[in-house]
Amino acid sequence: MTPIQALRRGASRRVELVPMNPIEQLRAGRLPHRVAQLLVGLVLFGISMALLLRADLGLEPWGVLQYGLIQHIPMSYGLMSIVVSFVVLLLWIPLRQWPGLGTVLNAVVIGLAIDATLAVVPDIEGLGWRVAVMLLAIVGNGVAGAMYIGSQLGPGPRDGLMTGLARRTGRSIRLVRTSLEVTVVVLGFALGGILGVGTVLYALLIGPVVQLFLPMLTVRVQAPEPRGLRPQRPEAAVTGPAAG
């Protein structure tokens, strides 16, 4: 089987993303596999974000904001990513959302991977190399996003904010995501963030890349039973429904 055939076969695979609460995510089976995939995806995500910064042709929307912030706050780019992630998590509280294991690890691991990559990858010289690294970073970011989403261990802080706002406002995911990203890009650019062709290409390509790789990287899990269909415990007839 050629790589192209393998890619087509993987992209045609159908595995459902199951809506689960944080406890159900941990009980859905194949946990070691899923945690390993989550961690690899988060590290790759951080590496790709660092490479996009080194390409110096424009950052992804939240990266524009983070880079703008470090122009005014003495902090590394990776550490600022962690700080912004936890600030975003605070916004989950009024949305009544609970973070999963993947959410917390997302907030920490990506920032650590960014700083580790920036420590070993120097500035890139030459426009041709910078364009190549930019494209590699965008594709790598999409693959990494598909890996951590496909682990089914909870959304990242920014993804959860998007879905939470969409649920609470009744607006579409597309509208909420666009509004959020335009807001952070404008704010980040005003603070001194790097805006360029990479920002535009990221916005255009990241969705299709994630969509291409998500079917082949989504881990099949055991869906939780609907509450009303769960079998009663023997003592339920006497004591009432079981807690939880």
Side-chain angles (χ1 to χ4, degrees), residues 179-191:
S179 300
L180 277 174
E181 294 190 346
V182 168
T183 300
V184 298
V185 165
V186 170
L187 180 57
F189 183 67
L191 292 171

Side-chain angles (χ1 to χ4, degrees), residues 80-219:
M80 181 57 74
S81 173
I82 295 173
V83 170
V84 170
S85 293
F86 279 101
V87 170
V88 170
L89 279 177
L90 292 177
L91 300 177
W92 283 35
I93 296 174
L95 298 176
R96 298 181 181 178
Q97 295 207 142
W98 291 95
L101 174 64
T103 309
V104 177
L105 289 177
N106 183 297
V108 177
V109 174
I110 290 176
L112 296 177
I114 289 172
D115 279 349
T117 304
L118 292 176
V120 298
V121 177
D123 293 336
I124 300 171
E125 302 294 338
L127 181 59
W129 283 110
R130 290 165 58 203
V131 169
V133 170
M134 175 192 68
L135 294 174
L136 176 64
I138 293 173
V139 173
N141 198 269
V143 174
M147 290 186 73
Y148 82 70
I149 293 169
S151 70
Q152 308 214 50
L153 283 166
R158 297 156 184 80
D159 295 328
L161 176 63
M162 173 187 65
T163 56
L165 284 171
R167 188 184 70 251
R168 296 286 287 180
T169 63
R171 304 295 183 180
S172 69
I173 290 288
R174 178 179 298 178
L175 176 61
V176 172
R177 175 171 182 167
T178 300
S179 300
L180 277 174
E181 294 190 346
V182 168
T183 300
V184 298
V185 165
V186 170
L187 180 57
F189 183 67
L191 292 171
I194 301 175
L195 186 63
V197 65
T199 310
V200 177
L201 286 177
Y202 185 94
L204 293 174
L205 297 177
I206 193 64
V209 173
V210 172
Q211 185 174 356
L212 175 64
F213 286 96
L214 188 58
M216 66 184 77
L217 293 172
T218 298
V219 182

Side-chain angles (χ1 to χ4, degrees), residues 62-82:
W62 286 92
V64 176
L65 174 61
Q66 289 158 190
Y67 191 86
L69 287 170
I70 65 174
Q71 305 311 303
H72 306 274
I73 302 173
M75 190 178 295
S76 71
Y77 184 59
L79 183 55
M80 181 57 74
S81 173
I82 295 173

Side-chain angles (χ1 to χ4, degrees), residues 41-58:
L42 294 178
V43 170
L44 178 58
F45 200 94
I47 292 171
S48 64
M49 288 181 67
L51 292 178
L52 200 56
L53 177 61
R54 285 292 188 239
D56 196 25
L57 290 169

